[in-house]
Amino acid sequence: MRDTLKLAKQLAGLGYGSRKQVAIAIRDGRVTGDGEDLRFEGEPVDPPHGIVLMLNKPAGFTCSHADQGRLVYELLPPRLRKRDPKMSSAGRLDADTTGLLLFTDDGALLHRLISPKSSIPKTYEARLARPLEGHEAALFASGALVLRGEEKPCLPAALEVTGAQVASLTLTEGRYHQVRRMFAAAGNHVDALHRSRFGPLRLEGLPEGAWRILTGGEVAALKA
Ligand code: URA
């Protein structure tokens, strides 16, 4: 009995239902296996506290818990949204920006990932409204570019030009609308923005709108 209560508490905390609902699932034999191979209705149970997942965010979804418009959380299955402690996105992407977005229920890790001191490199692919002029890489790398309305210059950022109007930009900080504002400061305009890399992680074939749980090795690399 005590084991059933413990299991019900564990599964409820992972978002599989209320304690009563999961107790019924256990009674009905819908929870099988144990330890490393615990299954709910045949599917492996999500990892306990400390889970990290990546989403390939489509355009049109907002990174917010507030109930306005379409939220990135809607792209996760209900059980992941019901976890306690809850899953939060590690920083934000603009509604129009696509690509790699991380979520975790680990508050300490979340803090580290979004701290201005973390200096985790993040790479963005930008499609521009006008052809690049050739001065942008030096400007972004200079450490002297001051964005409109700010005083502190941006940290040096690496620009790789991959086409007449396409470039990838790697930042080690994350200011509000930073990529769009950097290109605006260079006299251009970002038409489309996609994040392809967050520290050691890349999307690597994850389809738009899809998510996956990071492996233990990936989480360790992220924490390193
Ligand atoms: N820079 C931006 O301008 N927008 C984002 O979503 C991320 C970085």
Side-chain angles (χ1 to χ4, degrees), residues 2-222:
R2 186 169 320 134
D3 283 355
T4 303
L5 287 178
K6 214 172 124 190
L7 187 56
K9 185 177 173 203
Q10 179 194 343
L11 291 171
L14 296 179
Y16 285 87
S18 66
R19 285 198 202 181
K20 191 167 171 197
Q21 287 167 331
V22 295
I24 291 169
I26 295 167
R27 187 197 67 194
D28 293 351
R30 285 184 280 133
V31 180
T32 52
D34 53 22
E36 293 286 283
D37 189 34
L38 190 61
R39 285 171 181 262
F40 190 92
E41 295 177 345
E43 295 293 321
V45 163
D46 295 328
H49 180 60
I51 188 175
V52 187
L53 60 88
M54 68 159 77
L55 168 76
N56 185 353
K57 179 191 172 300
F61 288 82
T62 305
C63 294
S64 160
H65 280 290
D67 49 3
Q68 274 179 338
R70 291 193 295 172
L71 310 180
V72 286
Y73 295 95
E74 293 167 25
L75 297 161
L76 306 180
R79 68 169 196 283
L80 288 173
R81 304 197 316 249
K82 286 194 221 133
R83 280 171 76 106
D84 179 21
K86 79 174 178 202
M87 305 283 295
S88 293
S89 71
R92 294 174 174 214
L93 292 175
D94 302 336
D96 289 346
T97 302
T98 59
L100 205 169
L101 185 63
L102 295 177
F103 293 81
T104 183
D105 65 349
D106 179 339
L109 177 61
L110 191 67
H111 190 76
R112 265 170 64 185
L113 296 177
I114 63 182
S115 159
K117 292 191 206 116
S118 78
S119 67
I120 298 172
K122 295 163 204 110
T123 301
Y124 297 86
E125 320 296 334
R127 189 158 48 74
L128 301 158
R130 290 179 277 284
L132 288 146
E133 290 173 356
H135 66 280
E136 297 86 352
L139 176 66
F140 294 167
S142 68
L145 173 63
V146 178
L147 297 176
R148 182 181 289 198
E150 297 194 5
E151 283 173 11
K152 221 173 124 199
C154 293
L155 291 174
L159 184 75
E160 193 190 333
V161 176
T162 50
Q165 294 180 211
V166 203
S168 79
L169 181 61
T170 300
L171 305 181
T172 54
E173 53 181 348
R175 304 186 192 191
Y176 181 67
H177 291 338
Q178 185 165 349
V179 176
R180 296 177 199 274
R181 291 165 72 212
M182 286 175 74
F183 279 106
N188 212 319
H189 176 83
V190 173
D191 274 345
L193 192 60
H194 175 84
R195 181 157 72 190
S196 56
R197 171 185 172 210
F198 190 113
L201 305 168
R202 280 159 219 273
L203 281 170
E204 271 164 7
L206 188 68
E208 198 170 275
W211 59 274
R212 71 172 178 83
I213 295 173
L214 299 192
T215 65
E218 287 173 323
V219 175
L222 194 61

